[in-house]
């Protein structure tokens, strides 16, 4: 505690035990901020430049590649577009589903190549049951998945798959 008769040096010495605690709190706070916001910031910064670096995962082209109409790979992550479901390509239930799946994949590649976009985390879940990151692909705040829905190449994700056959 400070007394009027204490010199400045004595007052500083009396406070010094708290300095390490203040530094620890500061470093912990910065670590918490990085943990909370570091990954989304890294995604946004990396993807802002990504429009021309998009390719097909089958040919392993581009920094970002499209697996199918609702799955991409980026920075070593497999990312599932959380707001849509597109027809399957490999496990298609009928020829129509496979054809639509291939169209959805090519259309997603084209949409992503049109310019900068972001992968935006939504909801509480970070990953699905297969370990894929759950994100919405956006440009200027609008979902690119909604374009696929409007063109009949995707369904809005309602928690279950809808049939593409029939």
């Amino acid at each position: 505690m400070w007394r009027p008769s204490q010199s400045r040096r004595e007052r500083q010495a009396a406070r010094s035990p708290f300095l390490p605690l203040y530094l620890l709190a500061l470093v912990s706070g910065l670590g918490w901020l990085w943990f909370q916001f570091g990954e989304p910031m890294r995604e946004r910064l990396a993807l802002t430049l990504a429009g021309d670096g998009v390719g097909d995962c089958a040919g392993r082209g581009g920094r970002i590649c499209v697996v199918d109409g609702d799955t991409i790979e980026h920075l070593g992550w497999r990312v599932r577009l959380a707001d849509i479901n597109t027809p399957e390509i490999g496990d298609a239930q009928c020829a129509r589903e496979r054809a639509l799946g291939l169209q959805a994949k090519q259309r997603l590649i084209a949409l992503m190549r049109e310019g900068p976009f972001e992968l935006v985390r939504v909801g509480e879940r970070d990953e699905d049951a297969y370990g894929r990151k759950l994100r919405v692909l956006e440009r200027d705040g609008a979902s690119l998945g909604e374009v696929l829905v409007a063109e009949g190449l995707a369904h809005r994700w309602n928690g279950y798959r809808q049939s593409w056959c029939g």
Side-chain angles (χ1 to χ4, degrees):
M1 172 174 260
W2 178 75
R3 293 185 313 259
S5 62
Q6 282 181 320
S7 71
R8 181 176 177 193
R9 183 172 289 184
E10 288 172 327
R11 286 192 308 266
Q12 287 177 339
R15 280 192 301 235
S16 66
F18 296 106
L19 182 61
L21 292 175
Y22 291 132
L23 291 174
L24 179 63
L26 177 66
V27 170
S28 297
L30 292 173
W32 180 84
L33 286 171
W34 175 253
F35 180 76
Q36 292 295 315
F37 303 108
E39 182 179 307
M41 286 170 51
R42 180 175 61 152
E43 288 178 21
R44 290 175 186 267
L45 290 173
L47 292 173
T48 300
L49 307 172
D52 60 348
V54 176
D56 186 333
C57 287
R60 288 287 168 210
R63 292 178 294 146
I64 298 173
C65 65
V66 177
V67 176
D68 61 24
D70 56 22
T71 307
I72 66 173
E73 288 184 2
H74 172 60
L75 294 177
W77 297 334
R78 193 161 271 215
V79 179
R80 171 71 158 81
L81 303 185
D83 60 337
I84 62 170
N85 184 53
T86 59
E88 297 297 323
I89 297 171
D91 295 330
Q93 301 297 310
C94 62
R96 179 178 184 270
E97 181 176 13
R98 181 164 167 43
L100 285 172
L102 290 169
Q103 285 180 328
K105 178 180 180 175
Q106 292 306 313
R107 182 63 176 130
L108 183 60
I109 291 170
L111 287 170
M112 291 171 70
R113 286 181 176 170
E114 287 179 6
F117 53 85
E118 296 178 334
L119 285 174
V120 180
R121 183 176 175 176
V122 294
E124 294 292 318
R125 291 179 54 203
D126 185 50
E127 295 182 351
D128 68 5
Y130 303 102
R132 299 176 295 188
K133 297 288 186 182
L134 294 171
R135 303 291 187 265
V136 173
L137 191 60
E138 292 184 354
R139 178 176 293 122
D140 300 324
S143 167
L144 297 184
E146 284 296 319
V147 175
L148 296 176
V149 170
E151 294 175 359
L153 297 172
H155 294 141
R156 282 187 189 89
W157 180 248
N158 296 320
Y160 59 91
R161 290 184 176 172
Q162 299 174 31
S163 176
W164 293 94
C165 304

